[in-house]
Amino acid sequence: MSWYIYLPIAHHSVALPLIVGLGFVVGLLSGLFGVGGGFLMTPLLIMFGIPPTVAAASDSNQIVAASASGSYAHYRLGNVDFKMGIFLLIGGVIGGTGGVQLIKILRALGNADFLIMITYVLMLGFVGGYMLVESLQGMRKSKVSGPVLVKPKESAYAKMLKSLPYQMNFEKSGIVLSPIVPLFLGTLVGVLAAIMGVGGGFIMVPVMVYLLRMPMHVVVGTSLFQVLFTCINVTIMQAYSNKTVDFILALLLLVGSVFGAQVGARLSTRLKDDQLKIYLAILVLIVMVKMLYGLVLEPHNLLAYHGGH
Amino acid sequence: MEVTNAMRYRIFILIFLVTTSLMMDSGLAAQETKGLTITPDTINVNSFFSGSALTISGDIKAADDVIIEISGKDAINNFELKGRVGPFWMTTGKVELENIPSFYLVLLPQGKDWLQKAESLGLGLEQVKHRMVTKSTAKVPENIFSMFKKLKKSEELYDEIPGAVTYSDAKDGMKHFVAKCNVPSSIALGNYLVKATIITGGVRGSEITGQLKVQEVGFVKFVNKLAEDQRIVFGVSAVIIALAAGLLMGVLFRQSGGSH
């Protein structure tokens, strides 16, 4: 029996265990942290010889499966804030549509790939660094101090949130907030996600934690719910516009990823919020360092296919 | 989530179609070309294709040698040139290379000096270099062809293989040659020219040509056709299957113990 399978759209032969294994690892991260995994899987697939456009589009397709599985698991655990998710999703669609137009302009100006990479490095560096420092401080405080008696001073950001109109109760997240905030932040994430070509989960999770002040376990489920719809849209658009969705590649990835997502969702309930944040921060920082390394290190060949093959 | 009978029926039909198409995928064909035997002369790209061994054989005079070239159609290729700007490496120019084959393999007889001999005879990668046309808005580096060759070699689409051609003992003033190589899975679909150049007394003599065809069959062909002709249906189907697989796994995990 051959362990190799030919991918009809990628026009490339791959080892079955390798692709299924990659799917499992990314599915695990998806269920554990609520990130789609696109920011990890796409570079890995490219590394194994899959053309970048096919890698990104097919990855979106497998994320549909992983996030559907993960969302369902979190829904059963009561970890999905549908009300918040829908507001973020509406913003994400608006931002994503605008972002697609923006990327067209960037490509026309030239060096769009470099701009995308440097945006990744800055975003990942900022998000990962902030999460790591904040979580480590949180863990240290909980070890050192007993019950906190002094009520912390309300920040300007918190005051601003309270002053916004149409305050609404998001019961599942336990917060009262104007829907303008998730709509606005969803739009911003949508723009970034479109530029970077990913579902946006790894940006959305810190936004929910730090800017929307949602509890981490609800964040994971709600993020998966949002990523699911973003990737459904991307898959259909890529299949229609670019014919880059490799059905077989996505199927192989999702075989591993649906199992991984279930395992990840269960593991996430056994970890503390700060632990989850630290692991995600480390993961984000590793990817950032890898990308930065790629930008400053001389390429092994100074000639590359236009548009990434 | 309830798995309805209609859903089970659709999943069963899909699995049946995929399995049947995979089973229908056929192997390799072989056919003799006049003067040059190419085995197989048609490479069928099926679901388990991971490249193919290729054998080219024929008969030449006992004193002669032969060099085999396998080349794809000429194409225009657009590339980006990378350069250092501050601490970063980024695209500093674009270059268009014309009159270069999409695929090029040169199979040489045994012996260290055949690479140089082929070059002096106007065969091999050097002849690709000479007929390549370069167009660029930026300054083109002198070693552009080396960079191009390195890129193609990394994809296994260009190569020069000394020792790939072997001869049998001479009989009645003739000898049989056999050239062997591997065709990578990244080869594009289409027709390829197989050319055997006879070297007589150190100079280029007659040429024998044949054709190699690379075609997709079975499930691979079905998927590509659907993706091309029914794009929306293809995209929506991919989403539905992904959703079904994800939710199905969710249900199965719940039934196998759940996470509550």
Side-chain angles (χ1 to χ4, degrees):
Chain A
M1 184 195 158
S2 172
W3 287 105
Y4 284 85
I5 196 152
Y6 185 77
L7 305 173
I9 305 292
H11 298 291
H12 193 79
S13 177
V14 290
L16 264 172
L18 177 82
I19 298 296
V20 174
L22 277 180
F24 180 84
V25 171
V26 172
L28 186 79
L29 296 174
S30 176
L32 198 55
F33 302 123
V35 294
F39 73 107
L40 270 179
M41 178 58 89
T42 306
L44 286 172
L45 288 174
I46 295 166
M47 213 167 80
F48 290 112
I50 309 294
T53 47
V54 178
S58 309
D59 190 25
S60 294
N61 193 17
Q62 80 84 21
I63 293 170
V64 170
S67 52
S69 178
S71 298
Y72 183 63
H74 279 283
Y75 163 71
R76 285 193 286 111
L77 295 167
N79 288 344
V80 182
D81 187 336
F82 287 105
K83 201 192 277 185
M84 183 68 84
I86 286 166
F87 280 118
L88 288 166
L89 188 61
I90 293 168
V93 170
I94 296 166
T97 309
V100 168
Q101 299 308 314
L102 188 63
I103 199 71
K104 274 187 186 172
I105 297 166
L106 287 174
R107 286 199 191 281
L109 292 171
N111 254 320
D113 289 344
F114 176 76
L115 281 170
I116 291 168
M117 292 282 277
I118 205 80
T119 309
Y120 254 112
V121 169
L122 292 173
M123 282 300 301
L124 293 173
F126 177 74
V127 167
Y130 187 81
M131 278 182 87
L132 187 67
V133 170
E134 199 263 358
S135 305
L136 287 172
Q137 282 175 345
M139 284 185 94
R140 206 176 299 142
K141 273 180 193 169
S142 63
K143 275 182 188 172
V144 172
S145 60
V148 180
L149 300 173
V150 183
K151 194 181 173 185
K153 196 182 167 188
E154 195 173 53
S155 67
Y157 176 70
K159 281 180 188 167
M160 187 273 289
L161 288 184
K162 280 185 179 173
S163 68
L164 290 170
Y166 316 115
Q167 292 287 323
M168 192 181 271
N169 188 15
F170 293 88
E171 297 88 2
K172 191 67 83 176
S173 299
I175 52 172
V176 177
L177 198 70
S178 167
I180 295 169
V181 182
L183 272 175
F184 176 72
L185 292 173
T187 307
L188 276 185
V189 173
V191 172
L192 283 171
I195 291 173
M196 296 157 85
V198 291
F202 77 101
I203 316 171
M204 189 59 89
V205 169
V207 162
M208 286 177 177
V209 173
Y210 297 109
L211 299 178
L212 296 176
R213 312 271 167 96
M214 290 166 65
M216 188 64 185
H217 287 101
V218 179
V219 163
V220 174
T222 311
S223 168
L224 281 172
F225 170 75
Q226 187 261 347
V227 165
L228 169 65
F229 286 93
T230 307
C231 287
I232 285 175
N233 180 41
V234 171
T235 301
I236 295 172
M237 291 307 292
Q238 291 280 26
Y240 179 72
S241 309
N242 304 320
K243 199 199 145 190
T244 45
V245 176
D246 198 305
F247 185 73
I248 301 299
L249 176 61
L251 269 176
L252 293 176
L253 289 172
L254 74 84
V255 165
S257 70
V258 286
F259 281 99
Q262 292 293 331
V263 176
R266 288 172 187 217
L267 275 177
S268 76
T269 60
R270 293 179 191 174
L271 293 170
K272 290 176 184 169
D273 276 8
D274 279 332
Q275 278 179 308
L276 270 176
K277 284 187 217 167
I278 286 172
Y279 292 143
L280 179 58
I282 291 169
L283 183 73
V284 166
L285 287 173
I286 288 171
V287 177
M288 185 276 284
V289 171
K290 199 248 167 207
M291 296 190 99
L292 184 63
Y293 194 63
L295 284 173
V296 296
L297 198 76
E298 184 175 350
H300 71 280
N301 196 342
L302 297 180
L303 192 72
Y305 284 101
H306 177 57
H309 208 318
Chain B
M1 191 196 77
E2 291 296 320
V3 182
T4 63
N5 283 336
M7 279 172 71
R8 284 198 191 98
Y9 177 72
R10 281 181 201 134
I11 292 167
F12 173 76
I13 291 289
L14 181 83
I15 293 168
F16 176 76
L17 281 172
V18 170
T19 313
T20 312
S21 300
L22 288 172
M23 287 169 74
M24 281 168 64
D25 285 6
S26 57
L28 304 168
Q31 195 181 326
E32 192 166 313
T33 308
K34 194 183 175 186
L36 207 59
T37 304
I38 303 164
T39 310
D41 71 342
T42 300
I43 294 176
N44 289 331
V45 177
N46 59 29
S47 298
F48 302 108
F49 179 68
S50 59
S52 172
L54 186 70
T55 305
I56 299 140
S57 59
D59 295 296
I60 54 171
K61 285 179 186 170
D64 291 349
D65 278 300
V66 66
I67 293 174
I68 314 278
E69 293 168 284
I70 307 163
S71 53
K73 283 182 180 160
D74 281 2
I76 298 170
N77 289 275
N78 292 303
F79 297 94
E80 289 171 352
L81 283 166
K82 304 281 177 193
R84 200 179 183 103
V85 180
F88 302 114
W89 288 89
M90 59 172 80
T91 304
T92 49
K94 287 176 185 167
V95 62
E96 191 180 281
L97 302 180
E98 293 182 9
N99 294 348
I100 45 171
S102 56
F103 179 86
Y104 189 69
L105 283 188
V106 186
L107 312 179
L108 300 161
Q110 284 173 326
K112 286 179 185 174
D113 56 348
W114 270 106
L115 277 172
Q116 287 76 31
K117 276 188 197 170
E119 190 181 322
S120 66
L121 293 165
L123 296 166
L125 285 169
E126 277 304 302
Q127 59 92 18
V128 176
K129 181 182 176 180
H130 291 310
R131 63 192 181 91
M132 182 176 84
V133 177
T134 309
K135 289 180 183 173
S136 177
T137 47
K139 190 189 172 193
V140 179
E142 282 180 14
N143 63 338
I144 183 81
F145 186 75
S146 299
M147 290 155 72
F148 167 73
K149 196 166 72 175
K150 192 175 167 187
L151 187 67
K152 284 285 190 180
K153 277 192 171 184
S154 71
E155 297 175 300
E156 300 176 70
L157 295 175
Y158 270 41
D159 209 355
E160 291 172 307
I161 312 168
V165 179
T166 54
Y167 303 114
S168 65
D169 292 335
K171 192 179 176 186
D172 301 329
M174 297 293 283
K175 65 182 175 187
H176 188 69
F177 72 85
V178 176
K180 289 184 177 178
C181 65
N182 285 312
V183 173
S185 68
S186 53
I187 192 168
L189 305 175
N191 292 323
Y192 292 79
L193 177 70
V194 181
K195 188 169 80 177
T197 304
I198 314 294
I199 313 297
T200 308
V203 294
R204 281 173 75 161
S206 59
E207 291 173 352
I208 317 167
T209 58
Q211 191 175 284
L212 171 70
K213 189 178 182 184
V214 180
Q215 64 178 18
E216 52 187 15
V217 293
F219 186 65
V220 173
K221 190 177 180 180
F222 166 75
V223 170
N224 257 314
K225 195 167 165 48
L226 187 69
E228 185 63 53
D229 300 342
Q230 309 277 339
R231 291 182 177 208
I232 284 281
V233 174
F234 184 79
V236 172
S237 305
V239 165
I240 290 171
I241 290 166
L243 277 173
L247 293 174
L248 190 69
M249 291 314 295
V251 172
L252 289 177
F253 266 75
R254 184 179 60 174
Q255 284 171 350
S256 67
S259 50
H260 287 290

